[in-house]
Amino acid sequence: MFDQLSVGGGVGLSAGAPFRVATEKTVFAMPETKIGYCPDVGGTYYLSHLDGELGTYLGLTGDILTGRAVFEHGLATHYIPSRRIPLLLQRLAELDQPSLSLIDQTIEELSSEREPNEPRSSLIGATRAALDSAFRHDEIEKILFDLTELGKHPEESISTWALSALAQLEERSPTSLKVALTAIRKGKKLTLRDAFEQEMNIAGAFCRGASPDFQVGVNTVLVEKSRARPAWSPSTLSEVSKDTVSLFFDPESPYLEGLPQLDIPSEFEPVTGPRHLKYALPTEDEIGEAVRGSHANASGMGATAEEIVQLFERMRPGKNGVREKVEEVLRRKCTLVDNADGNFVWVKWIHDQ
């Protein structure tokens, strides 16, 4: 449960919890690349399981999400006003035989819909499509190229976002960016346990001197509190070779030799799949499966937008934000197709065309 600040290690400690409550005071960030490091404490696993390339973007730039956006983007499972936190704690304490479903229901009863004047996250619609496009690459250089081009976009919201993201990345450690991107890409295919081990190896390599940037970043940003770009070494992406990146991942790397192995007690249940998303808003992957007809609860191919929305409202009865999330994803990821009789308009997942 995070009410206010959830940054870096705090994110990792809370991200796997079945219930994570955000309020208007919540601040989320994974700022490790600002200090010449890499997302850890499970960050490379949890970020890689966010919708689209949102996790890649957050992990590389260290950008901040606040308030309801933390919930809308899947990092929190619920959103309630902070003034209701004491009442929530009281109601949870009064539960006689609490189950996960009962806890979910108790939190949901105190949640709130968006206020009429409450702004939406900026990372939706056309800007979000631009984000997914730019951060889909496996090379930082290609991400920067796309952001540069998007910085010329005629739509101001897109160009402003792209130039801001570009400026953030240019301040980060080039080595950290390449290591973090590699780790996030690998994290998508790893179990949580293996992601922890990967992150422990990366930490060991940084601490053993595979790159001086972690020490430089901590000293510049945290000790000296300087706003200047730290003296990264190397200072440019072109100087960071594949061989340098491999020092953080290759089992034969001298910087990984003799590091302790991750030892999880056998009584702990292994984490299989993104179960931390069970009580959150539906993911884009779930919505895509429903549109394609491959979702376990879908009736098959050929559904209207309203039918898709109602499917998820039935699957998550009474949950605030479901309609808003599903409709936003459908507008961004789908096209409309007339049926043969012209009586209905089906939604078709764009990437299936």
Side-chain angles (χ1 to χ4, degrees):
M1 183 182 296
F2 32 88
D3 175 21
Q4 295 192 23
L5 186 65
S6 188
V7 175
V11 172
L13 290 173
S14 61
F19 305 109
R20 306 176 303 280
V21 179
T23 76
E24 76 280 2
K25 298 179 180 179
T26 299
V27 176
F28 168 94
M30 292 296 285
E32 286 82 0
T33 57
K34 292 183 179 181
I35 58 170
Y37 192 48
C38 174
D40 63 353
V41 201
T44 58
Y45 176 85
Y46 293 115
L47 290 172
S48 66
H49 284 87
L50 293 178
D51 289 341
E53 296 300 333
L54 182 64
T56 309
Y57 166 74
L58 294 173
L60 296 181
T61 65
D63 201 8
I64 293 172
L65 294 180
T66 60
R68 193 181 291 271
V70 179
F71 162 65
E72 292 176 331
H73 292 303
L75 293 153
T77 58
H78 300 77
Y79 176 88
I80 69 173
S82 61
R83 67 181 183 276
R84 296 181 185 171
I85 290 289
L87 179 57
L88 171 61
L89 296 176
Q90 178 185 331
R91 290 193 179 180
L92 291 174
E94 291 171 351
L95 294 178
D96 185 27
Q97 294 182 315
S99 63
L100 291 180
S101 60
L102 185 55
I103 294 171
D104 175 45
Q105 179 182 336
T106 302
I107 302 173
E108 197 62 50
E109 287 173 352
L110 293 174
S111 66
S112 67
E113 293 281 7
R114 182 186 308 280
E115 297 293 334
N117 60 347
E118 186 179 355
R120 295 203 66 180
S121 167
S122 62
L123 302 180
I124 60 173
T127 300
R128 176 55 191 281
L131 183 157
D132 284 346
S133 177
F135 283 83
R136 75 188 189 278
H137 300 294
D138 294 335
E139 297 177 20
I140 294 291
E141 292 86 348
K142 291 182 178 180
I143 293 175
L144 294 181
F145 178 84
D146 278 9
L147 288 173
T148 302
E149 293 301 304
L150 286 168
K152 308 169 188 174
H153 199 280
E155 189 170 330
E156 185 177 0
S157 61
I158 294 177
S159 61
T160 299
W161 166 80
L163 292 174
S164 175
L166 186 64
Q168 287 175 307
L169 293 177
E170 288 174 343
E171 289 291 311
R172 307 295 176 253
S173 156
T175 300
S176 289
L177 289 177
K178 290 197 173 185
V179 171
L181 180 58
T182 301
I184 291 170
R185 291 291 182 260
K186 289 178 178 288
K188 183 76 171 179
K189 302 174 183 178
L190 296 176
T191 64
L192 179 58
R193 182 214 173 278
D194 290 342
F196 278 138
E197 185 147 48
Q198 170 181 263
E199 292 164 0
M200 188 167 67
N201 287 340
I202 292 171
F206 269 116
C207 291
R208 286 180 164 189
S211 165
D213 284 358
F214 184 29
Q215 181 177 349
V216 168
V218 169
N219 189 60
T220 303
V221 177
L222 301 181
V223 178
E224 297 176 358
K225 301 189 184 304
S226 171
R227 292 176 177 260
R229 185 178 190 263
W232 307 125
S233 180
S235 63
T236 64
L237 288 167
S238 61
E239 296 175 278
V240 183
S241 67
K242 291 183 179 180
D243 287 342
T244 297
V245 176
S246 71
L247 296 176
F248 297 84
F249 299 95
D250 188 345
E252 302 300 318
S253 167
Y255 296 97
L256 304 185
E257 184 179 353
L259 286 177
Q261 297 299 301
L262 185 62
D263 183 18
I264 298 179
S266 58
E267 61 266 24
F268 281 87
E269 179 183 352
V271 175
T272 56
R275 65 184 185 185
H276 62 290
L277 300 175
K278 181 176 180 179
Y279 296 101
L281 290 173
T283 66
E284 286 187 8
D285 286 344
E286 286 183 273
I287 297 168
E289 290 173 358
V291 172
R292 298 186 190 96
S294 60
H295 194 284
N297 293 297
S299 57
M301 290 289 288
T304 66
E306 182 60 25
E307 287 171 336
I308 298 296
V309 171
Q310 290 180 7
L311 168 66
F312 285 100
E313 287 182 330
R314 290 193 301 271
M315 291 169 57
R316 291 168 169 81
K319 186 165 188 66
N320 280 323
V322 170
R323 174 173 289 272
E324 198 172 37
K325 168 70 180 282
V326 175
E327 288 180 341
E328 192 281 322
V329 172
L330 293 179
R331 285 194 298 270
R332 177 163 45 85
K333 303 287 284 188
C334 293
T335 187
L336 302 179
V337 180
D338 290 329
N339 79 326
D341 298 328
N343 296 324
F344 301 98
V345 179
W346 311 123
V347 287
K348 179 179 177 62
W349 205 250
I350 292 173
H351 298 288
D352 291 342
Q353 296 186 80

